[in-house]
Amino acid sequence: MSRPEGTTYDQDLFAGAAAYYARYRPPYPTEAVDHLVDAFRLAAGPPVLDLGCGTGQLAVPLARAGCRVWAVDPDREMIDEGVRTAPADLADHVRWVVARAEDLVADDLPAMRLCTMGASFHWMARESVLAFLDRVVEPDGGVALVSGSASIWSRDGALQGDWVPVARDVIVEFLGPRRRAGGGTYDHPPRTHEQVLADSAFHRVERRRFTTTRLLTVDDVIGQQLSTSYASPKLLGDRLPDFRRELARRLREVAPEGEFPTVEHTDVIVARRGDRTGGTG
């Protein structure tokens, strides 16, 4: 069955994927991080909350920019891998926390200038998380949703490359036609993030898209798939070696040289509070 929005976190969602996540997930564009730094005046080093932080794909560059980051994820494997792989010189700038966003207590946190969520908001009880953030985020702060560009199931062309349909076909052959997610399947929420934000305190919404082109290898493509909830090592189980061999074989049929130009689009949705009688939102 599909995972209902906001239910108890499924610890199998990314089981066995953390090491692949840290190594193979596409990095967020520097321009996207710079956009957040400029938009919320983060260079001065204010506290930032990063929910669903994974292994630190946003937390680390934000810490590098000078922020004090609370990096929160419900998956202990992800947090452990983030601690292991984060640059040593940033150890004092990132506080790693194993927790669901829905279980955080406002009084346990400082006032945050910004809350970021990198490809994670769809896993949360979105309305209740935004209500919680209204108590935590500074009056002139906001929320930033940063899309990932790793999913072969993307609906808006966020990921483009000759390898994408090949990977999708092999995953369907091994795991079935429905997008898997831990112990169940996944369907996109019926309401978009912008629609949910429009009904929240953070209803003034702006979207920007950043585009990156990278050259991926066969190993990159395979590792990226194993970093996901829909093709995690736990889902593949004993068939993992067969999956790796078959995907590698099919990829080399498409590109014998083993290189794949890939276009990745990253969308940044910035949401702020504001007067509902004027302005956007």
Side-chain angles (χ1 to χ4, degrees):
M1 63 181 295
S2 298
R3 180 186 181 277
E5 186 174 333
T7 57
T8 301
Y9 182 75
D10 181 354
Q11 289 293 334
D12 285 340
L13 198 58
F14 289 94
Y20 296 101
Y21 204 102
R23 180 174 178 180
Y24 293 106
R25 278 283 166 136
Y28 290 110
T30 299
E31 295 81 3
V33 176
D34 290 344
H35 173 54
L36 296 179
V37 171
D38 292 342
F40 291 98
R41 307 182 309 282
L42 301 182
V48 171
L49 181 63
D50 184 26
L51 296 179
C53 66
T55 58
Q57 281 67 25
L58 273 176
V60 169
L62 287 170
R64 181 68 70 196
C67 300
R68 292 173 288 135
V69 183
W70 273 250
V72 180
D73 199 283
D75 191 306
R76 179 167 291 280
E77 291 182 8
M78 291 288 183
I79 293 294
D80 288 347
E81 189 69 14
V83 172
R84 189 185 72 81
T85 59
D89 64 320
L90 296 180
D92 293 336
H93 294 267
V94 182
R95 179 176 298 184
W96 301 91
V97 179
V98 180
R100 297 169 68 238
E102 295 85 350
D103 294 334
L104 295 175
V105 177
D107 290 343
D108 293 341
L109 298 169
M112 300 289 179
R113 175 70 53 80
L114 174 67
C115 175
T116 57
M117 288 169 270
S120 60
F121 194 40
H122 58 292
W123 297 119
M124 303 177 194
R126 296 179 293 173
E127 291 85 355
S128 63
V129 168
L130 290 172
F132 162 76
L133 292 176
D134 191 28
R135 301 194 299 275
V136 172
V137 173
E138 296 174 356
D140 60 347
V143 172
L145 311 180
V146 186
S147 72
S149 57
S151 178
I152 60 169
W153 301 100
S154 172
R155 298 178 298 177
D156 58 358
L159 184 62
Q160 300 170 13
D162 291 344
W163 64 266
V164 174
V166 177
R168 186 186 300 116
D169 288 346
V170 174
I171 287 171
V172 166
E173 290 171 14
F174 274 76
L175 295 172
R178 294 288 303 278
R179 176 177 171 174
R180 299 291 299 273
T185 57
Y186 175 83
D187 293 312
H188 291 287
R191 301 179 73 212
T192 67
H193 291 338
E194 286 95 333
Q195 289 171 328
V196 174
L197 286 164
D199 291 335
S200 78
F202 303 96
H203 61 91
R204 293 177 53 208
V205 176
E206 299 176 357
R207 175 192 283 260
R208 287 189 60 180
R209 170 164 281 194
F210 300 88
T211 299
T212 304
T213 299
R214 297 195 301 144
L215 189 65
L216 303 187
T217 66
V218 170
D219 186 59
D220 291 332
V221 171
I222 295 173
Q224 191 164 303
Q225 303 321 297
L226 296 176
S227 78
T228 67
S229 63
Y230 57 76
S232 68
K234 176 69 176 290
L235 278 178
L236 289 161
D238 293 341
R239 302 186 72 193
L240 176 56
D242 293 336
F243 173 82
R244 296 184 69 114
R245 282 192 294 269
E246 181 61 13
L247 182 50
R249 183 185 70 81
R250 301 269 280 273
L251 289 170
R252 291 195 180 278
E253 286 181 351
V254 173
E257 72 284 1
E259 294 183 339
F260 299 88
T262 303
V263 177
E264 299 164 345
H265 298 296
T266 299
D267 291 319
V268 178
I269 300 173
V270 167
R272 307 174 189 267
R273 302 178 182 90
D275 185 353
R276 290 187 180 274
T277 63
T280 59

